[in-house]
């Protein structure tokens, strides 16, 4: 336990310092809101750490360090601030400067613009995560199954070429048809962009990971593509949390602080899983993470359908489903590890 604690010691210290700083500068209510945002980020992104750890195991130590340092800056400031800012400007028909001014000085107006952009944001993230889920289980080479009957049949169905793409497109089309006509085009484009980026990033990573490539070129290009894929995955996980954060508070500094501290904690958890090779022992944890990813993707797409009516999927539901699925897969992995092995 002492060895594992060293991985989370620094983020716990940063969380404590951050909460104390908010408490001193903004008061008890602001500190409490920041703590809630921190918990929201951790609950929504725990499964992201599991998937990231599996990808990071394939990278060199230098590439791992790059992702775990600069990879933190990009999701916190790029995804949670600059990304929504750009989408708000496009969806709201305003300039980037005006969107920035609204974010910094008129948070209520910024929240209105963000809600206007919400269906497009959720369509992109939902389709990206849905493809991650489908491509993991529709894999004929997959032999380790957690939910045996279901996953064995999905793996067998993976023999049908591009079946997961056809299913994802069918889901996107159903979502678009359920929307008012003025939203359909934007949602279809956003969802297709998410789908194409997921296919492109994973396909390139597999291509550069082929045995026929020279090892030097393999490490360089394969690592870069994997890092891009990790950032896209981070972005998709963060989108619904960024939108949901405004349901808790419209103060952007608190949102960046709470979500940023949560992202730092998730990064440390990713390091723990990677360096301790925990996924090799907790054999079903990756399965649970991908079920949670699929649930989050479907909930984001459901949010697209109900958003025009002023409704939204509560963030606690996404977090609760993910935590429950991961807890079940962890418990079953530990139970499996305790079973005596036949010689």
């Amino acid at each position: 336990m002492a060895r594992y604690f060293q991985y989370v010691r620094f983020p716990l210290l940063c969380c404590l310092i951050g909460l104390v700083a908010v408490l001193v500068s903004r008061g008890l209510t602001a500190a409490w809101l920041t703590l809630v945002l921190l918990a929201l980020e951790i609950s929504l992104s725990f499964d992201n750490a599991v998937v990231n750890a599996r990808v990071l195991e394939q990278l060199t130590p230098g590439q791992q360090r790059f992702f775990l340092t600069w990879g933190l800056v990009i999701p916190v400031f790029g995804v949670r601030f600059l990304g929504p800012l750009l989408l708000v400007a496009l969806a709201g028909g305003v300039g980037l400067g005006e969107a920035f001014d609204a974010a910094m000085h008129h948070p209520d107006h910024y929240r209105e613009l963000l809600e206007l952009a919400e269906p497009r944001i959720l369509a992109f993230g939902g389709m990206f995560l849905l493809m991650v889920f489908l491509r993991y289980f529709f894999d004929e080479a997959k032999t380790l199954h957690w939910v045996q009957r279901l996953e064995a049949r999905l793996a067998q169905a993976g023999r049908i070429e591009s079946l997961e793409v056809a299913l994802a497109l069918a889901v996107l089309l159903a979502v678009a048809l359920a929307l008012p006509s003025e939203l359909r085009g934007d949602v279809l484009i956003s969802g297709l962009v998410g789908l194409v980026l997921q296919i492109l990033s994973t396909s390139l990573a597999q291509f550069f990971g082929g045995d026929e490539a020279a090892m030097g070129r393999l490490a360089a290009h394969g690592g870069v593509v994997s890092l891009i894929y990790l950032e896209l995955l981070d972005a998709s996980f963060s989108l619904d949390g960024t939108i949901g954060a405004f349901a808790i508070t419209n103060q952007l500094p608190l949102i960046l602080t709470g979500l940023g501290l949560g992202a730092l904690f998730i990064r440390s958890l990713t390091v723990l899983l990677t360096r301790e090779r925990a996924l090799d022992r907790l054999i079903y944890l990756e399965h649970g993470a991908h079920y949670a990813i699929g649930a989050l993707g479907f909930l984001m797409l459901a949010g697209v359908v109900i958003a025009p009516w002023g409704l939204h999927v509560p963030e606690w539901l996404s977090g609760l489903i993910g935590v429950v699925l991961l807890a079940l897969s962890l418990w079953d992995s530990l139970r499996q590890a305790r079973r005596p092995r036949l010689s």
Side-chain angles (χ1 to χ4, degrees):
M1 290 301 296
R3 188 172 82 252
Y4 296 152
F5 179 74
Q6 69 179 350
Y7 290 101
V8 297
R9 183 172 50 197
F10 177 71
L12 286 175
L13 179 61
C14 289
C15 290
L16 179 61
I17 293 173
L19 291 172
V20 170
V22 172
L23 177 64
V24 172
S25 61
R26 292 177 172 263
L28 181 60
T29 301
W32 168 251
L33 291 174
T34 304
L35 180 61
V36 172
L37 290 166
L38 192 160
L40 172 68
E41 175 65 20
I42 292 174
S43 65
L44 287 177
S45 299
F46 195 93
D47 42 1
N48 191 18
V50 176
V51 179
N52 283 351
R54 182 58 81 189
V55 178
L56 281 172
E57 288 177 355
Q58 313 304 319
L59 304 184
T60 65
Q63 291 163 346
Q64 291 179 5
R65 285 193 297 271
F66 179 85
F67 173 75
L68 294 167
T69 52
W70 290 105
L72 178 65
V73 176
I74 295 171
V76 172
F77 294 102
V79 176
R80 292 167 177 78
F81 183 63
L82 295 179
L85 201 66
L86 180 61
L87 289 170
V88 161
L90 292 174
V94 299
L96 195 60
E98 183 179 343
F100 179 78
D101 179 70
M104 299 305 296
H105 304 112
H106 308 286
D108 289 332
H109 180 50
Y110 180 75
R111 180 179 177 179
E112 292 174 359
L113 292 173
L114 188 63
E115 289 175 350
L116 184 64
E118 183 176 357
R120 298 135 179 110
I121 297 173
L122 293 179
F124 170 85
M127 286 303 296
F128 190 97
L129 295 179
L130 179 61
M131 278 302 300
V132 172
F133 165 75
L134 292 175
R135 295 195 83 173
Y136 179 76
F137 288 107
F138 282 83
D139 181 4
E140 60 178 317
K142 184 174 176 291
T143 57
L144 176 65
H145 305 307
W146 180 31
V147 185
Q148 181 66 36
R149 290 186 178 180
L150 173 63
E151 293 179 24
R153 290 178 180 177
L154 292 178
Q156 187 175 18
R159 297 175 182 174
I160 304 175
E161 187 174 358
S162 301
L163 177 61
E164 70 277 10
V165 179
L167 287 176
L169 287 173
V171 171
L172 179 60
L173 183 60
V175 169
L177 291 175
L179 295 173
S181 57
E182 62 271 14
L183 275 177
R184 288 176 186 168
D186 288 348
V187 165
L188 278 172
I189 292 173
S190 299
L192 286 173
V193 169
L195 183 147
V196 169
L197 283 177
Q198 201 284 328
I199 294 174
L200 185 62
S201 56
T202 53
S203 297
L204 285 174
Q206 291 171 2
F207 170 77
F208 285 118
D211 293 334
E212 71 280 359
M215 291 307 293
R217 185 168 64 88
L218 168 90
H221 294 287
V224 170
V225 173
S226 295
L227 288 170
I228 293 173
Y229 174 71
L230 286 170
E231 294 299 347
L232 288 171
L233 187 61
D234 260 359
S236 301
F237 269 98
S238 304
L239 289 174
D240 69 323
T242 303
I243 296 172
F246 276 88
I248 298 172
T249 178
N250 59 10
Q251 300 181 55
L252 197 59
L254 297 185
I255 291 174
L256 288 175
T257 301
L259 298 186
L261 291 173
L264 177 62
F265 191 89
I266 290 297
R267 276 300 185 283
S268 298
L269 182 62
T270 303
V271 174
L272 188 158
L273 292 172
T274 302
R275 294 181 180 170
E276 298 295 332
R277 309 291 294 186
L279 296 181
D280 293 338
R281 298 189 299 273
L282 304 174
I283 58 175
Y284 299 133
L285 194 59
E286 192 175 1
H287 297 70
H290 279 87
Y291 279 119
I293 288 172
L296 178 57
F298 277 113
L299 287 175
M300 291 175 76
L301 292 172
V304 175
V305 175
I306 64 178
W309 286 270
L311 303 173
H312 73 282
V313 178
E315 285 67 39
W316 63 262
L317 180 60
S318 304
L320 179 62
I321 291 175
V323 169
V324 169
L325 287 169
L326 283 166
L328 288 174
S329 63
L330 175 61
W331 177 79
D332 216 9
S333 297
L334 292 172
R335 188 168 61 91
Q336 182 72 19
R338 286 193 295 265
R339 287 181 178 176
R341 301 187 179 218
L342 296 177
S343 56

